[in-house]
Amino acid sequence: MKSLLHKMAAGQRGVLRTLATSMVMAGLLGASVPALANKADDTLRMAYDQAPESVDPYFNNVRIGVIIAANVWDTLLYRDPLTNEYKGQLAESWKQVDDRTLEFKLRHNIKFHNGEPFNADSVVYTLNFVSDPANKATTQQNVSWIDRAEKIDDYTVRVISKEPFPAAKEFLSTTVAIHPAKYYKEVGPKGMSAKPVGTGPYKVIEYLPGKSITLERNTDYFKDSPKNQPTIGKVVIRFIPDRQTQMAEVISGGEDFIMHVPKDQAEQLKTMPNLQVKSGNTMRIVFMQMNIRPDTPTPQLKDERVRKAIAHAIDRKAIIKNIVGEGAELLETICTPSQTGCTHEGAPNYNYDPELSKKLLAEAGYPNGFETSIVAYRERNQTEALINYLRAVGIDAKLNFLQYAAMRDMIRGGKASITHQTWGSNLVNDVSASTPVYFGGGADDVTEDKDVQALLEKGAVTIDEAKRKDVYKEALTKIAEHAYAIPLWSLPVYYVASSDVKFKPYPDELVRFWDMGWK
């Protein structure tokens, strides 16, 4: 174990430190760094490694798309990230009419960024369009519970679920953005992505797909919103896949804000007077998903002993300590611990045991291991550590590192064997937003266990909280017992920002530009 850790740590840390070390030697950590450049023109510049495939929030599930959506659009309700209290956002009040129906009284005198008035038509058209499977929303799981939305009058709507759905308010306060009906009818999702229009605290003034998006403060943002009135004039988000380039930019002053910085680099940057480093645990979980469909590219994964061997091959505690960083929580089930319905009670623990791993591989008929591949899209240093551990027990896993949308399409097309995944639940603090995405029978389910699917479906519509927890417990335990996927850890995020930026990290991993400002 010590030998493996030494090799892993040496390789990983060397890669992680290369850029920062070279910059120190080049003198970029000194006083020559430009100061106040972006504060002076009231423009916050942010870099992110993934580009959204669409800016329409229903056709994207990359984190930067979620961040853009929360700043450009509003939802009917708003959940306070610190107290978890529901507040009215586009709705001023609401009531539960029956176990399937929520009625909302909407705010008056709100306009979309293009001048179109917000009213019941906006809500009804948006929800009925995106919840229709024929329109193929990428985030179908966020709206599949909706049967229909009905207009009572210009400022009263009812949202009716297919079955009782206890998490309805949670989804309506986080992921279910409201579009302008007239404009959305005219341009559809592609037009909404090309020229986005919401009611939020920021509006999009330029979008260059794959390159950048520029937001501008909405000076007409409605005063009764639970979101603060924005103070920063402009936000420019550049999509820069290479993390080292991001680091160079923030060190030189070309960018003001980056996130998901590797632990080693973040710790080194704490010494720089012109930068600040903040971190915190998040709702995002990290796991390995294994394709056991009949046409899987790696048939060995169909054997439960092989999947358990993979689980026992990985020293999760060592990776957390050496690579992931402070605040990370060891996981035993595929859900965020804070989510309603999430539990690890009854689930088996797959502790690090390479000898047991080799024994299981031999019993399965692979004493010399086998070849496979791992598809990943972020936290490459973590993926490489996982690969090192697998190779130590004879599993030769080749890395295929992609943008998220390409990885997702590989999974849905049955072409991925093992994936190193992360999932942030789109801010929704309920198990219905996490586990069913990968085990509920949808496009991302590469396990296809009908019993698990039925349990997750039952859990989503069970009103009684105690019974609901029991159903989810049974589903989560089955997934763990069969090692359909390997839960790893929760993912803390390291943020690096200019010392002039005022910001606060939140557990939901959402960057709230409307809460940020200049010091």
Side-chain angles (χ1 to χ4, degrees):
M1 173 181 169
K2 288 183 178 178
S3 174
L4 177 62
L5 269 178
H6 177 75
K7 291 178 182 177
M8 180 191 75
Q12 297 299 325
R13 290 176 180 172
V15 170
L16 292 173
R17 287 178 177 156
T18 297
L19 180 74
T21 301
S22 65
M23 288 184 173
V24 172
M25 294 177 67
L28 289 176
L29 302 188
S32 62
V33 174
L36 309 182
N38 299 324
K39 178 180 179 180
D41 65 6
D42 196 20
T43 300
L44 178 79
R45 293 177 170 85
M46 174 183 177
Y48 199 85
D49 65 323
Q50 300 281 318
E53 58 187 311
S54 171
V55 181
D56 185 330
Y58 294 102
F59 293 84
N60 157 84
N61 53 7
V62 177
R63 172 57 45 167
I64 192 61
V66 176
I67 291 170
I68 293 168
N71 285 277
V72 173
W73 283 273
D74 290 316
T75 48
L76 289 172
L77 302 178
Y78 178 84
R79 190 194 69 213
D80 188 294
L82 300 178
T83 66
N84 289 324
E85 175 189 2
Y86 294 116
K87 300 177 180 179
Q89 189 162 310
L90 291 174
E92 61 183 13
S93 64
W94 64 95
K95 65 179 180 179
Q96 191 84 41
V97 176
D98 56 45
D99 60 3
R100 292 176 52 220
T101 306
L102 280 165
E103 183 176 284
F104 297 89
K105 294 291 184 180
L106 307 179
R107 295 188 191 276
H108 294 239
N109 303 316
I110 294 177
K111 289 188 176 181
F112 287 93
H113 300 150
N114 64 352
E116 184 175 330
F118 163 76
N119 53 32
D121 293 334
S122 314
V123 178
V124 171
Y125 184 78
T126 301
L127 299 193
N128 287 338
F129 179 85
V130 299
S131 64
D132 183 351
N135 293 319
K136 299 180 179 179
T138 301
T139 56
Q140 188 64 38
Q141 68 274 5
N142 293 335
V143 291
S144 60
W145 57 274
I146 298 173
D147 180 60
R148 65 191 185 279
E150 293 180 349
K151 176 180 177 179
I152 305 303
D153 58 43
D154 282 349
Y155 290 95
T156 307
V157 295
R158 287 185 172 183
V159 180
I160 303 162
S161 59
K162 294 174 181 174
E163 297 183 70
F165 187 65
K169 286 185 288 187
E170 184 69 14
F171 281 84
L172 291 169
S173 66
T174 49
T175 66
V176 184
I178 304 301
H179 290 324
K182 182 176 181 294
Y183 180 67
Y184 206 38
K185 284 179 185 178
E186 291 174 355
V187 304
K190 288 186 178 179
M192 181 60 76
S193 180
K195 293 185 178 181
V197 174
T199 59
Y202 281 88
K203 55 187 177 182
V204 177
I205 60 171
E206 183 182 53
Y207 175 45
L208 303 174
K211 295 182 179 179
S212 67
I213 188 166
T214 302
L215 313 181
E216 183 177 75
R217 179 175 60 222
N218 179 8
T219 55
D220 296 322
Y221 190 53
F222 64 102
K223 306 303 181 187
D224 292 329
S225 173
K227 296 177 180 176
N228 292 337
Q229 294 296 307
T231 62
I232 293 178
K234 285 186 181 180
V235 177
V236 178
I237 303 169
R238 293 170 63 203
F239 310 124
I240 303 177
D242 184 64
R243 290 281 178 84
Q244 293 188 350
T245 303
Q246 288 187 30
M247 291 286 293
E249 289 282 352
V250 78
I251 289 173
S252 67
E255 299 292 338
D256 299 293
F257 189 86
I258 59 176
M259 59 191 294
H260 303 132
V261 178
K263 171 179 174 284
D264 282 18
Q265 291 183 4
E267 289 175 348
Q268 288 195 21
L269 293 182
K270 288 180 180 179
T271 64
M272 295 189 61
N274 66 308
L275 296 177
Q276 56 180 314
V277 177
K278 294 184 180 182
S279 66
N281 198 16
T282 68
M283 293 175 61
R284 183 171 296 275
I285 60 173
V286 185
F287 58 97
M288 295 170 71
Q289 188 182 16
M290 289 178 278
N291 182 356
I292 63 170
R293 288 175 178 169
D295 60 349
T296 175
T298 304
Q300 292 90 337
L301 297 174
K302 296 179 186 179
D303 193 312
E304 188 171 306
R305 293 167 295 186
V306 170
R307 300 195 298 272
K308 290 180 177 178
I310 291 173
H312 284 297
I314 298 165
D315 191 341
R316 298 177 297 161
K317 291 180 180 178
I319 296 177
I320 288 174
K321 180 181 178 181
N322 290 284
I323 297 176
V324 182
E326 59 191 56
E329 183 175 352
L330 194 69
L331 302 178
E332 303 297 351
T333 51
I334 306 293
C335 54
T336 300
S338 67
Q339 288 180 320
T340 300
C342 183
T343 181
H344 61 263
E345 184 181 343
N349 298 326
Y350 294 100
N351 296 321
Y352 177 53
D353 191 337
E355 294 308 312
L356 176 57
S357 178
K358 292 176 183 178
K359 180 174 180 290
L360 287 166
L361 287 173
E363 290 175 358
Y366 309 105
N368 299 316
F370 57 90
E371 292 185 357
T372 186
S373 63
I374 291 185
V375 182
Y377 76 110
R378 55 178 288 172
E379 318 307 332
R380 183 173 183 142
N381 56 334
Q382 295 180 23
T383 314
E384 290 171 348
L386 295 171
I387 288 172
N388 285 340
Y389 277 112
L390 293 181
R391 286 178 178 167
V393 298
I395 300 173
D396 185 11
K398 303 292 192 299
L399 174 59
N400 188 1
F401 198 78
L402 303 169
Q403 286 281 301
Y404 176 80
M407 181 189 75
R408 185 201 61 218
D409 290 346
M410 275 192 71
I411 295 169
R412 293 181 176 182
K415 297 177 181 179
S417 295
I418 303 173
T419 53
H420 176 205
Q421 285 266 35
T422 80
W423 183 248
S425 295
N426 284 320
L427 320 180
V428 177
N429 206 26
D430 190 273
V431 166
S432 58
S434 56
T435 318
V437 175
Y438 299 97
F439 300 96
D444 297 294
D445 184 352
V446 294
T447 301
E448 298 180 341
D449 185 312
K450 301 300 182 185
D451 291 337
V452 171
Q453 292 172 7
L455 285 167
L456 292 173
E457 185 176 349
K458 181 179 179 181
V461 300
T462 299
I463 298 293
D464 184 282
E465 189 169 332
K467 292 179 180 178
R468 190 167 186 250
K469 288 180 178 178
D470 287 341
V471 173
Y472 278 134
K473 176 184 173 183
E474 187 176 351
L476 291 165
T477 300
K478 279 184 178 291
I479 293 167
E481 286 176 343
H482 294 293
Y484 289 142
I486 302 169
L488 297 171
W489 43 76
S490 62
L491 189 67
V493 170
Y494 286 85
Y495 302 85
V496 177
S498 162
S499 57
D500 300 314
V501 177
K502 182 172 62 177
F503 78 99
K504 178 179 180 178
Y506 289 90
D508 59 13
E509 205 182 346
L510 185 64
V511 180
R512 294 164 165 82
F513 297 128
W514 69 85
D515 264 356
M516 298 172 70
W518 304 110
K519 292 181 181 178

